[in-house]
Amino acid sequence: MSTGGGGGGLTARLRRDLGTIESYAGLIGILVGAGIFRVTNDAWARTGPSVILGEVVLALVVLATMLPYAAYVSSPLGELPGGEYTHLSATLGGRRLAFVGAWLKMISYLGALAFLARVGADYLVELLRVLSGSGDVAKDALERYRMPIALGSLVAFYAIHVLGVRWFGRIQVTMCAVLGVSLVVLVVPGLFAIRMGNYVPFFNRGAHGFFEALPFLFFQFAGFEAMIHSAGEVMDSTRRLPRIFLRGLGATTLVYLLMSLVSFGVLPGERLRASAAPMAEVASVYLPAGAAALVTLGAVMAVLTSLNATFLVPSRLGLMLAEDGLVPKWMGVVSPRTGTPILGLTATLVISVGMLLSGQLSLALNIAVFALVLLYFFHSVAFLLLPWLNPALHQSMRLRPSRAVHLGVTGVSVAALGVLIVVQVTGDVAVLGRTTFLERCLKQSLTSVELAIAWSAVGLVLYGLGRRLGARPADAVAHLARPR
């Protein structure tokens, strides 16, 4: 069994037990998750069925944004699990911005874990109700199990990850297979049950509403880069992962479009928005009970595949930060028996459970998409400037686009992400103007900008403490940035 990343140190103790199939399952699983199966309610409320067009637009943006990830991971940096933290550090020659980005990402993913556990419980309760055939009576009786199910799912995936990344891959592939069957059952007959009148009006609030909906709709795509943190555990990662990213995103986009066409075409948006399990309700319109139950099971699998892949990210980021001496060394301790950062995974479990039980998910979720869009923006800017800031790293890439493609595609990513940031900030400024800080606190509705500033300030304090108290940073990034 091969072990280790190319940089030595803590990352070298990870085991490269993931192959191509497991990596595809990880990427597709985290994308075809809660976003599409829950239906993005806030986006629909702003633009109506034109959510479908929004998905096409954002797919092109994400594809352009994926190019820098694919290129970076094709370099020697693709042997490390640090993702944007590693890429920004190597490109900019400093760690402050990279650390704050990694910190915001960890907060976002920890909040996402708690949210996914709760959504998974919603769908599992719906599945049990469908199987029992007792209607609303059974649903009311099952309500008390919602929180135990959510907690149980977090503990179960924690155990899987502790056992080893090989088990993560096996479970992910199995769940994705069930998900794939359920998608076929949902989509193919659903295309014949579409009522064109449900697409009218296509735009609820014109161009303004359409652009206002895009940040909410981006939730479906947020996390597309999560599997980059498996780079230290994928066999031949610098060759395999770039292709997996680009092809997997294309397949997922097609799934998004087909599911949205069916869901908004079969049921009016108002009814979808009011449902806790909208895809199950869509399936119940044109499928017999058994097939509808299979679709609901597929929804459970979609959420759980996202949960499984999301669990990977915070601990691997913590491992890289520990290797660079910016967080306590215990965050990066890798078990020699399982090849997993057990203490980092334990911290992930404890924090996500705390968020779930406290009901304070808004403190993390309200900045989740905004923080990730900011991180994607800075990542694309760094890649745009890479040939001038770090020519050696640029030359070391297997996937090195032509100058025209590099500037053109990455420029599209930077411009589009910049627009999303402006739209979000403009909306938040409007909220700041009509509500007080106390009102927002009482309603747990602090804006994304406020939360991003607050969490960034905490991150800067932690960075300063890490630099002052931590060990001398490792030189793994500088070593791997040299050309082949």
Side-chain angles (χ1 to χ4, degrees):
M1 182 182 297
S2 62
T3 62
L10 299 172
T11 57
R13 301 170 191 173
L14 297 171
R15 295 179 181 174
R16 294 191 178 273
D17 285 341
L18 298 179
T20 300
I21 295 176
E22 293 88 351
S23 299
Y24 271 119
L27 175 64
I28 294 173
I30 200 169
L31 284 173
V32 186
I36 187 63
F37 265 95
R38 192 68 180 250
V39 177
T40 311
N41 294 340
D42 291 325
W44 182 89
R46 284 162 172 78
T47 195
S50 55
V51 161
I52 299 167
L53 178 61
E55 288 173 342
V56 175
V57 172
L58 288 178
L60 295 175
V61 173
V62 172
L63 187 60
T65 306
M66 184 71 87
L67 177 63
Y69 283 95
Y72 272 115
V73 84
S74 74
S75 77
L77 296 183
E79 298 174 3
L80 294 172
E84 301 93 347
Y85 168 76
T86 306
H87 305 164
L88 291 172
S89 297
T91 303
L92 304 178
R95 291 184 170 90
R96 184 178 288 107
L97 176 62
F99 179 88
V100 172
W103 165 250
L104 289 176
K105 185 170 188 174
M106 291 176 75
I107 295 297
S108 300
Y109 271 73
L110 289 166
L113 275 174
F115 172 73
L116 288 167
R118 192 170 66 184
V119 173
D122 289 343
Y123 263 106
L124 191 54
V125 166
E126 178 65 18
L127 176 62
L128 294 174
R129 185 192 66 80
V130 171
L131 293 176
S132 69
S134 300
D136 293 335
V137 175
K139 187 175 182 179
D140 293 339
L142 290 167
E143 279 296 320
R144 63 180 180 272
Y145 297 113
R146 199 177 296 269
M147 182 59 75
I149 289 172
L151 292 171
S153 64
L154 288 173
V155 173
F157 283 107
Y158 164 76
I160 289 168
H161 280 263
V162 165
L163 287 174
V165 75
R166 174 179 292 183
W167 285 101
F168 155 78
R170 289 173 175 173
I171 296 295
Q172 190 77 355
V173 169
T174 301
M175 291 191 298
C176 275
V178 177
L179 171 60
V181 173
S182 71
L183 288 175
V184 172
V185 172
L186 171 71
V187 169
V188 175
L191 292 172
F192 299 95
I194 289 174
R195 297 180 179 179
M196 299 304 295
N198 288 331
Y199 297 135
V200 180
F202 195 62
F203 293 93
N204 277 1
R205 294 168 52 202
H208 176 75
F210 180 76
F211 282 103
E212 195 179 59
L214 292 180
F216 297 94
L217 194 57
F218 198 83
F219 176 78
Q220 292 182 6
F221 292 93
F224 67 85
E225 82 307 332
M227 285 303 292
I228 204 167
H229 296 286
S230 69
E233 293 153 289
V234 173
M235 294 177 280
D236 198 8
S237 57
T238 60
R239 182 179 62 85
R240 295 187 184 201
L241 284 179
R243 293 181 295 184
I244 290 168
F245 286 154
L246 298 174
R247 294 173 182 173
L249 179 61
T252 303
T253 299
L254 179 60
V255 171
Y256 280 172
L257 293 177
L258 291 173
M259 290 181 68
S260 293
L261 282 170
V262 169
S263 60
F264 289 112
V266 170
L267 288 178
E270 294 90 346
R271 185 170 166 186
L272 288 171
R273 193 181 182 200
S275 175
M279 290 303 171
E281 191 159 346
V282 168
S284 67
V285 173
Y286 55 87
L287 293 176
L294 178 60
V295 170
T296 309
L297 176 61
V300 173
M301 293 298 103
V303 176
L304 295 185
T305 53
S306 292
L307 182 59
N308 193 25
T310 300
F311 224 111
L312 188 83
V313 175
S315 61
R316 271 56 176 187
L317 265 177
L319 190 157
M320 282 301 305
L321 295 175
E323 183 154 294
D324 280 357
L326 295 175
V327 297
K329 211 70 174 178
W330 62 262
M331 283 285 291
V333 172
V334 176
S335 168
R337 187 168 63 87
T338 65
T340 56
I342 293 178
L343 294 179
L345 288 167
T346 303
T348 298
L349 174 67
V350 170
I351 295 171
S352 58
V353 166
M355 287 183 170
L356 181 62
L357 291 175
S358 69
Q360 302 298 313
L361 286 182
S362 61
L363 293 177
L365 284 177
N366 283 5
I367 68 160
V369 174
F370 183 62
L372 289 175
V373 171
L374 282 175
L375 189 56
Y376 300 154
F377 175 81
F378 286 118
H379 189 262
S380 290
V381 169
F383 183 66
L384 193 65
L385 301 176
L386 178 64
W388 296 275
L389 295 179
N390 193 336
L393 176 58
H394 183 244
Q395 290 297 319
S396 74
M397 293 174 170
R398 295 176 185 266
L399 175 62
R400 193 167 65 251
S402 67
R403 178 63 61 88
V405 172
H406 183 121
L407 295 178
V409 174
T410 312
V412 167
S413 172
V414 170
L417 293 171
V419 169
L420 287 176
I421 292 169
V422 169
V423 169
Q424 181 68 59
V425 171
T426 301
D428 283 356
V429 169
V431 173
L432 294 176
R434 62 175 180 261
T435 61
T436 66
F437 179 73
L438 180 59
E439 288 173 338
R440 294 191 297 276
C441 287
L442 292 175
K443 294 180 180 179
Q444 296 184 23
S445 59
L446 291 175
T447 64
S448 299
V449 171
E450 289 174 298
L451 290 170
I453 292 172
W455 282 117
S456 296
V458 174
L460 286 171
V461 171
L462 294 176
Y463 176 80
L465 291 174
R467 294 281 291 178
R468 181 180 295 272
L469 303 175
R472 183 180 179 181
D475 201 29
V477 169
H479 168 71
L480 288 175
R482 289 201 298 263
R484 297 175 187 273

